Amino acid sequence: MARVMLDVSSVYKSFSEPVLVDISLNLNGGEILGVVGPNGCGKTTLLRIMAGLELPDRGSVRRKGKVGIVFQEDRLLPWKTLWENVALGLKYHGMRGEELAKRVREYSSMVGLTDSDLSLHPRKASGGTRRKAALARALVLEPEILLLDEPFTGLDVKARTSLREALKWIWDEYGLSTVIVSHQLEELLPLADRVYVLTPKPARVAKEIDLRGMDLERRLERVKEALFHILSRSGTE
Amino acid sequence: MVAPVGERSGTMTQGRKEAGKGREIAFRTGRILAGLFVLAIWISASATGMLPCPAEVLAYLLSMKLEDVAPQVLKTLYNSITGFSLSFLASMVLGLLSHKLSLVKGFSEALSEIFNSTSALVWSLVLVATLGVLSPLPPILVVAAVTLPHVLTATVSALSSADPGLLEAVRSVGAKPSDEFFEVILPSSVPLLASASRVGLGTALRISVVAEAFGSSGGVGYMIIRSYNLADASGVLAWSIVLIALVLGLDQLILKPLERRAKRWLE
Ligand SMILES: Nc1ncnc2c1ncn2[C@@H]1O[C@H](COP(=O)(O)OP(=O)(O)OP(=O)(O)O)[C@@H](O)[C@H]1O
Ligand SMILES: [Mg+2]
């Protein structure tokens, strides 16, 4: 279980100004890792670097397995149905026919998408349904590492609960190593094993907290305390 | 006195709705006035005796036989659509290659600039002189040359209008460059290409008749100039009205609805 699935080491990234400074963190097998930090500090950039969609200016990222990523904005193709969106990756890898259909059905039902959901175009689907389709699109490729960017943002309570149950089920079943970026602590902390707290831009790792063995109240207390500490130190609120 | 909030906001939206309706009626009245304005100019011009009056032209139009009109209309439609398709295809190829190759980008840009500053009249004369008055090609090529700059510019921007987020998303599930093109770049460009096609086809029809006038291979433009050479003023106007009806009909009944559908594509 202690196998390191993802190893981010001394990563530095700058666009017009530094965004990530000397970030080192690791994701262990079967673990759910939370990343929290102030708005605009560089969390999405960090996730894209983990996925290999962006290269760091300095430092390295080592992945011990296939990566699946779910973006903050769903990014479903609007001219395709949810079914077609979920099937995209399989199609690009040359899968066709009944084999493809079976795989799409399997992972769609795993995240709780019904056949009638799958026949919709994104604009006709609810936010929760779209988010699940984006999740299924990543899962059908059977990644060993799952990266989720703000998976609960923009969803109502019911959709959040439903998504959380789907994720829980997948973890219990597959023990997928996962990184979740989220500022919704109430959603994130019950799920996460460990949390990295980042500073305001440019992001550095301010604190690493192991949450295992704590109840939710204690988890919230510890993470909020860390966030309060870095925010008051940087003078922003 | 303060009205209850619900009631006040109710009357406000009602008021806004009525203002909107008023504007809509004024707008439609303006459109009708434009038609009457054109008619008034025509009537006053015909009062000088230099132009036949609307009634004469109407009588001429009613006396035209479908089997005489249809082939000429079809010829003009054929010239315009073929010419436009040529420039559309050339634009797609150049637009795609411009994406990757600066040489092609420079080539297309300069070509657009040259073509854009060359008049349909010059193209018609040069092509008819080169290919002969009997050749069916000049109208098609003139249409292609004249519409190319606009279509090319529109195609280049359409092909770069794809959302980088969507491109990244398909790349993250293993899309190859050809998948990116056919599944994201091309579909994303549909609305802009539809708008460009609407403008381009309208232009094509109006340009086609200019080139037709210089050849003798038929088309509405050829009929206009033939009537002119026979000193048949009613014929000139009648065929011109056929052309206007063709341009407006194609635009309002086919191209505009298609463009509207294409715009909804990305939502
Ligand atoms: N491709 C890019 N080019 C230039 N600047 C970028 C790029 N991507 C991100 N940035 C900048 O980097 C900073 C961090 O952005 P990022 O999206 O990673 O933050 P975030 O923590 O995910 O924000 P949010 O809380 O809004 O999700 C921002 O200031 C952003 O403007
Ligand atoms: Mg973000």
Side-chain angles (χ1 to χ4, degrees), chain B residues 93-112:
Chain B
V93 173
L94 289 174
L96 251 181
L97 294 176
S98 308
H99 226 57
K100 302 258 178 248
L101 305 170
S102 301
L103 180 94
V104 180
K105 193 169 178 190
F107 177 84
S108 328
E109 243 179 60
L111 198 70
S112 273

Side-chain angles (χ1 to χ4, degrees), chain B residues 131-183:
Chain B
L131 298 165
V133 288
L134 288 174
S135 167
L137 289 178
I140 295 174
L141 295 178
V142 173
V143 166
V146 173
T147 52
L148 186 76
H150 173 77
V151 178
L152 183 56
T153 313
T155 309
V156 169
S157 62
L159 290 178
S160 52
S161 68
D163 174 1
L166 288 183
L167 285 169
E168 188 174 75
V170 297
R171 223 173 287 138
S172 78
V173 290
K176 293 176 283 297
S178 63
D179 296 322
E180 280 177 42
F181 176 72
F182 286 109
E183 298 235 296

